[in-house]
């Protein structure tokens, strides 16, 4: 991939990748750092892929690996959940934005990745499996459990959505 | 069943854009996976729509340049690795050589160094017997000294 092609690809995907990393880590500075690392790896590996969807999946897979590596290194992701929150969304504010971020951060990292990739990125089970490095057959059950857990948390916090149908 | 429900993506889309059909509603009522997806999809859509980014992302041209610089440095490091290993080996060999000479020929070296003391010099001038170092030891010392200076110079110049 040459520089103009990279620039075009970056402008198209970087925003989404940043949001994904940010929602996974809950840390904007960390999201910036991991975004750069993701694209550094992407350039270095120079994947011989031309299909834009495949390239996008490749970047998400790299980002997921980096985020999970980060969690393994710090092993503090659960306790850090509140620390990183910007002042405007701290618990004492009690606003919806904070409550939503808090609920999502209470999920396990893998559950966050599953839900984000399935619902926000619209990935298939096979694509999710590739990104998070598990067997494709396991995704159905894992995703079902993650959705149920999120549903329970939303009900408990009184954030359950209104009638969906 | 471990395979993905073929309607799952349609259900998520329907929740997002409201494109519900009667058949899709009927399906959701009978599919646990799609029902779970439909339950959390509105919340996730809303959550994903909240843009928390307050700054501009790094410029792709800068990222490209940085990545290329890092790639070059990594390549240089890789290329220099055999030289670094050779240097370490050379330092070890030279150190071992010095240790061997200083251990085995310490008495001869001591006597030879004493040879340069003022007392011995006077004795030498009066024609008294003086100690001399064997040629092989002298050659070994000169060779080791040259090698030490050579490797040190190489290290300095290579770093520069």
């Amino acid at each position: 991939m040459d520089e103009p092609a990279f620039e075009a690809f970056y402008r198209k995907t970087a925003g989404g990748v940043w949001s994904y990393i940010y929602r996974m880590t809950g840390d904007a500075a960390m999201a910036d750092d991991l975004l750069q690392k993701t694209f550094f790896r992407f350039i270095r590996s120079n994947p011989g892929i031309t299909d834009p969807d495949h390239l996008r999946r490749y970047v998400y897979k790299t980002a997921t690996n980096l985020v999970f590596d980060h969690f393994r290194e710090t092993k503090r992701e659960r306790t850090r959940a509140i620390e990183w929150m910007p002042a405007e969304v701290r618990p004492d504010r009690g606003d919806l934005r904070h409550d939503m971020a808090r609920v999502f951060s209470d999920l396990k990292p893998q559950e966050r990745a599953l839900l984000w990739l399935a619902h926000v990125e619209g990935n298939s089970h096979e694509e999710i499996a590739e990104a998070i490095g598990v067997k494709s057959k396991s995704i159905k059950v894992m995703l079902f459990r993650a959705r149920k857990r999120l549903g329970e948390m939303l009900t408990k916090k009184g954030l359950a959505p209104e009638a969906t149908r | 069943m471990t395979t993905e429900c073929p309607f799952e993506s349609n259900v998520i889309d329907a929740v997002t854009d409201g494109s519900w059909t009667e058949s899709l509603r009927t399906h959701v009522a009978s599919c646990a996976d799609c029902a779970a997806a439909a339950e959390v999809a509105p919340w996730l859509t809303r959550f994903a729509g909240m843009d928390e980014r307050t700054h501009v992302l790094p410029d792709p041209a800068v990222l490209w340049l940085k990545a290329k610089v890092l790639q070059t440095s990594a390549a240089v490091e890789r290329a220099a690795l055999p030289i670094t290993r050779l240097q370490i080996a050379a330092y070890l060999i030279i150190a071992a050589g010095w240790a061997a000479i200083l251990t085995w020929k310490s008495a001869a070296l001591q006597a030879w160094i004493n040879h340069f003391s003022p007392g011995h010099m006077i004795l030498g001038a009066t024609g008294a017997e003086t100690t001399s170092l064997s040629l092989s030891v002298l050659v070994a010392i000169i060779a080791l000294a040259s090698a030490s200076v050579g490797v040190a110079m190489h290290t300095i110049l290579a770093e520069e």
Side-chain angles (χ1 to χ4, degrees), chain A residues 53-71:
Chain A
D53 280 343
H54 199 166
L55 278 173
R56 201 177 60 84
R57 290 205 300 272
Y58 183 89
V59 166
Y60 273 90
K61 185 183 177 180
T62 308
T64 306
N65 287 339
L66 285 168
V67 168
F68 285 174
D69 284 348
H70 163 70
F71 285 149

Side-chain angles (χ1 to χ4, degrees), chain B residues 104-160:
Chain B
W104 290 324
K105 297 289 176 186
S106 60
L109 280 168
Q110 188 75 46
W112 186 65
I113 290 165
N114 285 340
H115 172 74
F116 294 104
S117 68
H120 277 82
M121 281 180 145
I122 293 162
L123 283 174
T126 56
E129 197 182 328
T130 53
T131 326
S132 68
L133 207 59
S134 75
L135 187 67
S136 58
V137 174
L138 201 64
V139 168
I141 288 172
I142 292 168
L144 276 173
S146 307
S148 304
V149 172
V151 174
M153 288 298 287
H154 183 268
T155 308
I156 294 163
L157 292 174
E159 273 178 16
E160 279 179 6

Side-chain angles (χ1 to χ4, degrees), chain A residues 1-138:
Chain A
M1 182 181 269
D2 58 3
E3 192 178 348
F6 169 74
E7 281 199 32
F9 176 70
Y10 177 85
R11 291 192 194 285
K12 211 170 155 185
T13 53
V17 177
W18 187 90
S19 296
Y20 171 61
I21 299 172
Y22 175 68
R23 291 304 181 193
M24 288 292 290
T25 59
D27 183 338
M30 184 54 66
D32 287 343
D33 188 35
L34 292 181
L35 179 82
Q36 289 204 31
K37 281 184 182 168
T38 299
F39 281 99
F40 280 160
R41 275 199 190 179
F42 177 80
I43 295 169
R44 196 177 58 198
S45 61
N46 195 12
I49 309 164
T50 48
D51 177 37
D53 280 343
H54 199 166
L55 278 173
R56 201 177 60 84
R57 290 205 300 272
Y58 183 89
V59 166
Y60 273 90
K61 185 183 177 180
T62 308
T64 306
N65 287 339
L66 285 168
V67 168
F68 285 174
D69 284 348
H70 163 70
F71 285 149
R72 271 191 286 273
E73 280 164 17
T74 59
K75 292 185 178 175
R76 286 182 291 146
E77 75 274 15
R78 306 291 291 170
T79 51
R80 278 169 54 91
I82 289 297
E83 288 170 29
W84 55 259
M85 285 183 186
E88 67 271 21
V89 292
R90 288 271 160 79
D92 49 344
R93 293 291 300 268
D95 61 13
L96 184 66
R97 185 178 285 253
H98 159 259
D99 289 343
M100 292 177 91
R102 179 71 192 271
V103 166
F104 201 68
S105 72
D106 281 346
L107 292 166
K108 291 174 190 164
Q110 198 176 53
E111 291 173 332
R112 280 178 247 163
L114 280 162
L115 292 169
W116 192 272
L117 292 172
H119 285 264
V120 181
E121 293 303 322
N123 286 354
S124 68
H125 289 194
E126 205 173 321
E127 289 164 354
I128 298 169
E130 191 190 331
I132 66 171
V134 297
K135 284 180 185 171
S136 175
K137 286 178 179 176
S138 313

